[in-house]
Amino acid sequence: MRKVTLGLGSNSYDILIGSGLLMQTGARLKEIGFSDKLVIVTDPTVKKLYGDTLKQNLVDSGFEVLLLEVPEGEEQKSLETAGRLYHELTSFYAERTTPILALGGGVIGDLTGFVAATYMRGVPLIQLPTTLLAQGDSSIGGKVAVNHGQLKNKIGAFYHPRLTISDIATLKSLSPRELSDGLAEIIKHGAILDEEFFSYLEENLDKIKSLDDQVLERVVSRSAEIKAGVVEKDELDLGLRNILNYGHTIGHAIESASELKVWHGEAVAIGMLAEARISNKLGILDKNEVNRLKEIIARVGLPTELPPLEPEKMVQAMKHDKKILQGKIRFALPRTIGEVFITDEVSTSLIEQVLVKWNE
Ligand SMILES: NC(=O)c1ccc[n+]([C@@H]2O[C@H](COP(=O)([O-])OP(=O)(O)OC[C@H]3O[C@@H](n4cnc5c(N)ncnc54)[C@H](O)[C@@H]3O)[C@@H](O)[C@H]2O)c1
């Protein structure tokens, strides 16, 4: 087992990463002082795979457990679903000290985190991420949110869990597409801050795909460590955290223009490639580094081609994005693998050129 501590003064907490950890949840919760009742929020797939056994583990540890199920899908990140969960919590007489456990992928993590942040002005949150995207990225950093219509993550808060347990054994039931999707943000963490980790990913990709325990443990924990390091320095996303947006300015535009048919990690992969090419056209990132990125993205099984979307529409979507400052589109661009810089000096025509002339 590996442990990453996210240092935020009195809000510091541990992220535990290892195989089989989910069945230690009861004991770990007792260790940090919980003993009474608790609530698990999950979705039907994860409930069947892990929720019922987790519930039994917690009951055996002496907890009174309410297990709540939310249907799958991004559309569940809504105030309506949050309202239904508040209602269930009230009926269960959940108190300010009653922990809520988010068992699932990023959707469950973001929604449950939002509910935990707002119910009775905040109750303890425990993250139990079960997708690679959630373990390597979304469960770390305290961003919790629901969508507002088509506007993603518009209503939210910064709210950190008391404990995160990433059981890498749960990754074994993911489909190959889900696994690849989660790898995009992990590659991004290497690309922006850690060339050595990026090389490790290149060298161990086959073992990651075959779900080698030791390699997965190292990959998830290093990814968590890199993100935690950034969050510690910029908890409220006022500066440094911008570097985590590498691949996301164009990625978000692709995601929303495709009406979510392209998944988050897939869109970020194409976005990373497009933004690397922008950096290359600006004379900053070496062509060999662009090719290195393209190669790892392709080997993971993530898309390297732009989906058939109109470049103008994508630029329009970028202009609606939250990374716009005083009318300028903000980018985190790679200087080299392992280093990134922030700029709002990329012209609309260069963005369009890169998108239109994709293969040049
Ligand atoms: N808060 C953040 O900082 C942050 C960062 C990135 C993404 N996100 C959010 O994360 C969400 C996407 O998360 P996701 O990719 O994990 O998708 P998801 O939560 O929708 O999960 C994808 C699917 O995988 C299933 N699943 C989950 N764990 C499984 C397992 N172990 N085995 C088999 N199936 C399993 C789920 O039932 C679901 O159908 C988006 O809403 C995005 O906005 C948040």
Side-chain angles (χ1 to χ4, degrees), residues 43-46 49-50 72-74 77 104-108 110 130-134 137-140 142-144 147 152-153 170-175 178 181 185 227 241 248 255 264:
D43 70 32
T45 301
V46 180
L49 286 164
Y50 310 108
E72 279 158 45
E74 179 69 26
K77 272 175 59 175
V107 166
I108 289 293
D110 282 10
T130 62
T131 62
L132 191 53
L133 182 127
D137 182 36
S138 71
S139 69
I140 305 143
K143 284 191 179 178
V144 297
N147 303 326
K152 271 198 69 152
N153 302 326
T170 61
L171 303 177
K172 303 205 175 221
S173 49
L174 292 174
S175 69
E178 280 159 347
D181 193 65
E185 298 279 10
K227 183 154 180 193
R241 243 173 127 148
H248 284 64
E255 209 179 346
H264 183 75

Side-chain angles (χ1 to χ4, degrees), residues 158-175:
F158 288 95
Y159 195 71
H160 297 278
R162 291 283 299 279
L163 175 70
T164 296
I165 300 176
S166 289
D167 185 343
I168 55 165
T170 61
L171 303 177
K172 303 205 175 221
S173 49
L174 292 174
S175 69

Side-chain angles (χ1 to χ4, degrees), residues 263-337:
W263 289 3
H264 183 75
E266 294 170 343
V268 168
I270 305 169
M272 284 197 286
L273 207 47
E275 292 173 18
R277 294 177 61 236
I278 289 176
S279 180
N280 174 256
K281 300 257 184 247
L282 290 170
I284 294 163
L285 183 70
D286 194 87
K287 186 81 184 162
N288 291 330
E289 302 282 71
V290 180
N291 290 337
R292 216 175 141 193
L293 264 161
K294 185 172 176 180
E295 196 182 315
I296 194 169
I297 288 170
R299 281 178 62 211
V300 165
L302 285 162
T304 56
E305 295 296 325
L306 206 60
L309 303 165
E310 283 173 42
E312 296 77 17
K313 264 198 186 157
M314 283 195 265
V315 174
Q316 234 14 68
M318 279 174 233
K319 288 188 172 159
H320 283 289
D321 195 273
K322 63 179 186 297
K323 285 173 283 298
I324 298 283
L325 239 73
Q326 280 143 8
K328 291 187 166 177
I329 301 175
R330 172 161 288 194
F331 281 94
L333 297 181
R335 198 182 293 286
T336 177
I337 301 282

Side-chain angles (χ1 to χ4, degrees), residues 53-188:
T53 38
L54 173 67
K55 182 176 176 185
Q56 195 52 52
N57 166 269
L58 293 165
V59 169
D60 293 346
S61 302
F63 288 96
E64 183 190 351
V65 182
L66 172 69
L67 194 154
L68 297 175
E69 213 178 300
V70 168
E72 279 158 45
E74 179 69 26
E75 62 280 7
Q76 294 303 322
K77 272 175 59 175
S78 67
L79 280 175
E80 199 185 335
T81 306
R84 189 171 71 71
L85 293 175
Y86 296 139
H87 178 73
E88 303 275 7
L89 291 172
T90 315
S91 307
F92 186 58
Y93 299 104
E95 295 163 11
R96 290 197 65 180
T97 51
T98 306
I100 307 190
L101 284 55
L103 176 70
V107 166
I108 289 293
D110 282 10
L111 168 73
T112 308
F114 177 78
V115 168
T118 46
Y119 179 73
M120 298 187 85
R121 299 194 186 86
V123 295
L125 169 68
I126 311 293
Q127 290 277 12
L128 304 173
T130 62
T131 62
L132 191 53
L133 182 127
Q135 294 189 357
D137 182 36
S138 71
S139 69
I140 305 143
K143 284 191 179 178
V144 297
V146 293
N147 303 326
H148 181 61
Q150 294 306 310
L151 301 173
K152 271 198 69 152
N153 302 326
K154 265 289 174 240
I155 318 289
F158 288 95
Y159 195 71
H160 297 278
R162 291 283 299 279
L163 175 70
T164 296
I165 300 176
S166 289
D167 185 343
I168 55 165
T170 61
L171 303 177
K172 303 205 175 221
S173 49
L174 292 174
S175 69
R177 187 180 176 192
E178 280 159 347
L179 200 73
S180 304
D181 193 65
L183 270 169
E185 298 279 10
I186 290 174
I187 292 171
K188 180 200 76 183

